[in-house]
Amino acid sequence: MIKTSLTTTLTGDDDQLDRFIRNAEKVGGHVEVGWLGSKTHIGGGGGKRSITMADLAAIHVYGTEHIPKRDPITPVIEENQSKYRGYIANSVVSILEGSMEIESMWQLIGMEAQADIQQYMVNGKFAPLNPKTIKRKGSSKPLIDTGQLRQGVTYVVVKD
């Protein structure tokens, strides 16, 4: 979780204070990034049943008895935390002044995190694939097969 604080001084009339209070009350919400919803993964993976993209992602994020952990989310969030905090810090005054909506800030962070995760899925260091998996898919690249998992990364802005 990213937390930030702001200290500001108001100089001016009661209208400025009222506007500040109204806009401060709007500040809230958060963004969720990952494999959201119930979109089905389209076969080809050697499994015997269809699963959702979220299920497939969870298998990779947490690993199973036969599949090692290949988490593309946690390292990205940890590595880019200061960048996301910078977006928040650069947006707070505009949000409180009313020249920017909080949803716009969350949208920006969501788009960035989505792109960061997708990039890491291509370039990150993961446990190697089983030789049988490499033979089946014709590639030794973990997390990338048909591209569905990578393309399935999305975000949603949630109002608290």
Side-chain angles (χ1 to χ4, degrees):
M1 163 136 334
I2 299 173
K3 293 185 178 186
T4 189
S5 63
L6 169 71
T7 302
T8 188
T9 303
L10 290 175
T11 57
D13 56 24
D14 289 337
D15 288 339
Q16 184 183 20
L17 180 58
D18 290 342
R19 187 173 67 243
F20 177 86
I21 291 169
R22 279 193 312 274
N23 289 318
E25 289 171 348
K26 293 180 192 176
V27 176
H30 64 277
V31 63
E32 296 176 0
V33 182
W35 294 268
L36 310 170
S38 57
K39 185 174 181 182
T40 302
H41 176 262
I42 310 297
K48 294 182 172 54
R49 65 178 180 88
S50 66
I51 61 173
T52 67
M53 297 301 287
D55 290 338
L56 180 61
I59 289 168
H60 290 296
V61 167
Y62 300 107
T64 69
E65 181 182 341
H66 302 290
I67 299 172
K69 178 179 176 176
R70 295 184 179 104
D71 180 0
I73 295 178
T74 306
V76 169
I77 300 304
E78 289 174 355
E79 180 180 316
N80 292 289
Q81 203 171 67
S82 63
K83 176 173 72 169
Y84 306 141
R85 281 185 181 158
Y87 291 142
I88 293 169
N90 291 332
S91 301
V92 168
V93 171
S94 297
I95 292 166
L96 294 176
E97 290 175 345
S99 61
M100 178 182 186
E101 295 293 323
I102 186 87
E103 290 84 6
S104 298
M105 179 192 72
W106 294 129
Q107 291 279 343
L108 175 62
I109 293 171
M111 287 187 286
E112 279 293 314
Q114 175 185 11
D116 292 341
I117 291 167
Q118 290 173 327
Q119 181 75 25
Y120 188 78
M121 289 177 75
V122 173
N123 298 324
K125 304 251 189 264
F126 299 102
L129 295 175
N130 182 303
K132 289 180 184 178
T133 304
I134 295 170
K135 184 177 180 183
R136 178 188 52 78
K137 72 183 232 174
S139 168
S140 62
K141 189 72 178 159
L143 300 181
I144 306 291
D145 191 357
T146 64
Q148 291 178 72
L149 188 62
R150 183 175 174 271
Q151 292 166 1
V153 178
T154 190
Y155 69 93
V156 64
V157 174
V158 178
K159 295 181 181 181
D160 290 336

